[in-house]
Amino acid sequence: MTSIPEIFPPRGLRITSGPLELRGIGEPEMLALLDVVRDGVHDPATMPFSFPWTDAPADELPLNYLQWWSRHVTDWTPAAWSIDLAAVWEGEVVGVQGVTTRDFLVTRGGETGSWVGRRFHGRGIGTAMRRAWVAFLFGHLGFEYVTSSAFVDNAASLRVSEKLGYRPNGSVWYARRGERAECRRLLLRREDFTGAPPIAVEGVEAARRFIGIVPR
């Protein structure tokens, strides 16, 4: 073996759709993501994430992100895994799009999550990311449903879910910066997905074998 994607095939995934590319996170992508994070992911007065990772001190973020990056390999098991890809828009790294699942070969579903750097907000990038990713999950990895969630004051994320055909799936509450906050759960079944874009995919067969969808 001569490359990381040969050992860990999710790192070799590449999905393209128009000006968008979702690709495995290597060292260049990680360093670019750190630059995006340093410039800000959201309005500091708000917190869109149930785990407030952006509240970490600036000098702790590089190590935190490196540890997050490494855990995708060290924590991977057939029973519980996640894939997170760097989102690249017109050649520039802008954020991350991913999915987390447990017992996938039985459940055939998982939770999607994403973020986009603040300076790229308002350009439809988040919608394009989620559309391409869900099209990939349904069309190439055999997902039958995906879930998502967003705080009730995160209107942009809720709009993206609505555009794609997600349906309400209850609420949960978190302690957010010392206050109680409602987080809406959302569910998208394969048959309800609207507006699937054309995508081109690389590295999917190796990833499918690695996950166990097809025989090794």
Side-chain angles (χ1 to χ4, degrees):
M1 292 186 176
T2 59
S3 68
I4 296 299
E6 289 181 88
I7 302 169
F8 188 70
R11 188 68 57 80
L13 284 171
R14 184 183 180 203
I15 303 156
T16 55
S17 179
L20 173 70
E21 178 185 349
L22 302 174
R23 67 184 185 220
I25 299 173
E27 184 173 345
E29 291 79 16
M30 175 54 58
L31 294 175
L33 286 169
L34 282 171
D35 286 338
V36 176
V37 170
R38 289 190 187 99
D39 282 346
V41 176
H42 56 82
D43 182 344
T46 67
M47 174 46 67
F49 307 121
S50 56
F51 178 74
W53 60 274
T54 50
D55 276 350
D59 61 346
E60 295 180 10
L61 275 173
L63 178 58
N64 288 352
Y65 231 74
L66 182 62
Q67 290 172 328
W68 166 82
W69 180 44
S70 301
R71 276 196 294 271
H72 289 159
V73 178
T74 58
D75 291 351
W76 183 288
T77 71
W81 50 264
S82 63
I83 298 174
D84 285 274
L85 304 183
V88 183
W89 185 263
E90 296 180 340
E92 185 174 10
V93 172
V94 299
V96 169
Q97 178 71 63
V99 68
T100 299
T101 183
R102 298 184 67 87
D103 300 314
F104 173 73
L105 295 179
V106 176
T107 66
R108 297 292 175 166
E111 174 92 358
T112 61
S114 64
W115 63 264
V116 178
R118 188 178 182 187
R119 70 177 184 266
F120 304 107
H121 289 188
R123 295 164 54 182
I125 296 174
T127 301
M129 287 166 51
R130 187 109 64 95
R131 281 195 194 279
W133 187 230
V134 171
F136 170 73
L137 297 179
F138 286 158
H140 295 271
L141 290 191
F143 277 67
E144 295 179 4
Y145 73 90
V146 291
T147 59
S148 184
S149 62
F151 285 112
V152 294
D153 56 5
N154 190 349
S157 180
L158 292 171
R159 279 197 300 271
V160 171
S161 296
E162 182 180 3
K163 290 176 186 176
L164 271 63
Y166 285 76
R167 298 183 180 182
N169 194 34
S171 292
V172 293
W173 282 261
Y174 291 94
R176 183 178 62 169
R177 292 178 170 173
E179 297 182 353
R180 186 172 184 261
E182 181 183 355
C183 189
R184 289 182 183 163
R185 302 281 299 155
L186 301 149
L187 170 68
L188 178 62
R189 300 180 188 276
R190 186 204 303 259
E191 59 268 25
D192 295 328
F193 180 38
T194 58
I199 60 172
V201 175
E202 297 178 17
V204 67
E205 291 306 321
R208 285 168 56 85
R209 288 192 295 270
F210 189 68
I211 291 167
I213 298 171
V214 296
R216 291 178 182 268

